[in-house]
Amino acid sequence: GDSVTQMEGPVTLSEEAFLTINCTYTATGYPSLFWYVQYPGEGLQLLLKATKADDKGSNKGFEATYRKETTSFHLEKGSVQVSDSAVYFCALSTGANSKLTFGKGITLSVRP
Amino acid sequence: GAVVSQHPSRVICKSGTSVKIECRSLDFQATTMFWYRQFPKQSLMLMATSNEGSKATYEQGVEKDKFLINHASLTLSTLTVTSAHPEDSSFYICSARLAARGTGELFFGEGSRLTVL
């Protein structure tokens, strides 16, 4: 079945540090890939997505590139801010009406 | 963007009582809604898929008689936790798929935290 594997957390960084959060997947078919963010006490928000190989999703300074050859969708940001502290979930979906499969999520804490 | 609203955001109830959580798509029609449960420091577990006008499809291991889901209209789905017990305490999140879209994108509610005493 489909699955998403995220690197173990939590991750603690200083403000303006570079961020990489790894995500790999296994899927039957050709999935769409997503990063969701959950700020403290809130529901999930879509951060970015990519629907085909080599697509780069980007939003709020975050980027992730759909790598079919390595089945990866790593999330990066060049300079994190305190306001980026949240839980980040990698997810995939196959087919037009298929459910989302989530990774376990990783907590990011950014120190001033 | 599309907005999904859940109500209540927090609810505390006594063991043995039933609690209803509403999920509304405010500015779009959603033929499909999903209910998730999130345990502390863990990922979201899909409980069931709710399709407007038909019975919900439950994931393996989820008791359909305990977690009643109703999707009576294109903008409203409800989750009722019947005879709640302390182990049902959790964060419940709904999501909705735009009726006209097929990209797999979902819009999430802000979640409802249930505490059963």
Side-chain angles (χ1 to χ4, degrees):
Chain A
D2 298 344
S3 67
V4 176
T5 302
Q6 290 185 234
M7 60 185 280
E8 293 289 330
V11 173
T12 302
L13 295 174
S14 297
E15 203 165 25
E16 299 184 0
F18 183 85
L19 169 71
T20 298
I21 300 177
N22 290 342
C23 171
T24 57
Y25 67 89
T26 58
T28 54
Y30 207 168
S32 295
L33 302 174
F34 306 84
W35 276 100
Y36 282 86
V37 59
Q38 184 179 30
Y39 297 103
E42 299 182 16
L44 273 72
Q45 302 174 24
L46 178 64
L47 180 60
L48 53 83
K49 67 176 182 180
T51 57
K52 61 182 187 294
D54 299 326
D55 267 2
K56 177 185 285 187
S58 61
N59 186 25
K60 299 180 181 180
F62 290 89
E63 293 184 340
T65 301
Y66 190 145
R67 301 290 187 196
K68 186 179 180 182
E69 64 275 14
T70 55
T71 62
S72 65
F73 193 54
H74 304 322
L75 182 69
E76 297 182 335
K77 185 172 185 179
S79 176
V80 294
Q81 305 300 312
V82 173
S83 57
D84 294 326
S85 299
V87 182
Y88 291 82
F89 293 92
C90 185
L92 68 81
S93 176
T94 53
N97 294 308
S98 195
K99 61 189 180 186
L100 276 174
T101 299
F102 285 91
K104 288 188 176 181
I106 186 170
T107 300
L108 169 66
S109 298
V110 180
R111 300 183 299 237
Chain B
V3 177
V4 175
S5 178
Q6 281 184 241
H7 178 80
S9 58
R10 293 178 181 271
V11 56
I12 301 172
C13 69
K14 293 182 178 180
S15 186
T17 61
S18 295
V19 174
K20 179 184 285 187
I21 300 170
E22 294 185 346
C23 176
R24 294 180 184 274
S25 55
L26 297 185
D27 50 3
F28 67 100
Q29 293 183 330
T31 53
T32 304
M33 290 185 173
F34 301 87
W35 286 95
Y36 292 86
R37 181 174 179 176
Q38 186 179 30
F39 294 96
K41 299 184 179 180
Q42 294 190 33
S43 186
L44 284 75
M45 181 192 78
L46 179 65
M47 299 175 65
T49 301
S50 169
N51 294 300
E52 186 266 337
S54 62
K55 290 183 178 180
T57 302
Y58 290 81
E59 295 297 303
Q60 191 172 10
V62 178
E63 298 177 62
K64 62 180 181 181
D65 293 332
K66 181 168 188 61
F67 299 99
L68 300 178
I69 292 172
N70 183 278
H71 193 160
S73 77
L74 285 171
T75 59
L76 174 64
S77 177
T78 60
L79 166 67
T80 302
V81 183
T82 63
S83 186
H85 292 285
E87 57 265 30
D88 299 325
S89 298
S90 194
F91 196 53
Y92 293 88
I93 302 174
C94 74
S95 65
R97 186 186 306 282
L98 280 170
R101 287 206 180 168
T103 62
E105 182 175 354
L106 296 178
F107 297 91
F108 286 79
E110 59 271 64
S112 298
R113 185 165 298 285
L114 170 63
T115 302
V116 184
L117 303 177

